Amino acid sequence: MIELVTAAAAAVPLAAGWSWHALQLRRRITDARRDPLTGLATRAEFEERAAASLLQGPRVVMVLDLDGFKQINDALGHAAGDEVIRIVGRRLAAWADQHGGIVARLGGDEFAAVLPVLSYADLDWTMDGLGEQLTVPAVFEDCEVPVGFSAGVVWSHPRQVPNPGLAGWLRRADEAMYLAKRSGGGWHLAVGPDPALPTVNGRRKGRRGSSGVAA
């Protein structure tokens, strides 16, 4: 009996050690799948969950880029730019949660989202609601910073033929985002899966990284 008690007592620190290491491992895995600045999903996490979501019914795929972000960094510094990114991330997360979607920061001031939208009519008020939430000025050190965005969206369906998959829909949404930015911001709808703009190195011509130079 004494031997059993002694063995059990010796096992307690060992079990506690393994539990601590398991907890740390889970935290590292979670951190690796989250953007450190916004807490949003990273590209890898987003692609995995978004691809599964696209198989479940009608979805809207969105690519969004902030307007005038370079000017914010130049005028107020990178700390202000980071704060704007954090605020936009929180607003996008709240909007996506409201609609049962997933949103990610792809890098820099670029974001992507996939969310259920049953019809084009629903798309109007969904995107208008995003615009109302997103364009409230951000506050940095008691200074109001305007927030503008350009977003491209495309409506997908799992029975779409041909179906380009997540990568193809993101490319179409990126094209629509480019057109929205050229038109002064807001959001623009791409119709259908077929690319409308020339491609260089598999990416929209004129997009960062399409020239063969690292973005």
Side-chain angles (χ1 to χ4, degrees), residues 45-186:
E45 167 79 354
F46 171 75
E47 288 178 349
E48 179 181 323
R49 293 178 56 192
S53 179
L54 290 177
L55 300 176
Q56 297 171 12
R59 295 291 187 270
V60 158
V61 180
M62 179 187 77
V63 172
L64 181 146
D65 189 86
L66 297 182
D67 294 338
F69 185 68
K70 183 179 183 301
Q71 287 82 353
I72 293 173
N73 278 331
D74 290 346
L76 300 175
H78 288 281
D82 286 350
E83 182 62 16
V84 170
I85 291 291
R86 276 190 288 266
I87 290 171
V88 168
R90 289 197 296 267
R91 292 174 182 177
L92 283 171
W95 174 76
D97 287 345
Q98 179 184 357
H99 296 284
I102 174 175
V103 64
R105 181 186 179 207
L106 299 183
D109 60 326
E110 186 176 48
F111 302 83
V114 170
L115 60 152
V117 175
L118 297 180
S119 68
Y120 285 114
D122 292 336
L123 176 62
D124 284 337
W125 65 264
T126 299
M127 292 303 299
D128 288 346
L130 172 63
E132 292 176 1
Q133 294 179 47
L134 213 56
T135 55
V136 176
V139 176
F140 174 74
E141 296 183 349
D142 298 325
C143 176
E144 286 195 349
V145 182
V147 178
F149 73 95
S150 296
V153 297
V154 60
W155 193 72
S156 74
H157 196 286
R159 294 195 295 270
Q160 174 80 41
V161 179
N163 193 321
L166 177 63
W169 291 124
L170 284 171
R171 187 185 188 286
R172 287 292 283 136
D174 178 69
E175 290 181 345
M177 183 271 291
Y178 171 74
L179 295 175
K181 193 171 285 287
R182 288 187 60 187
S183 300

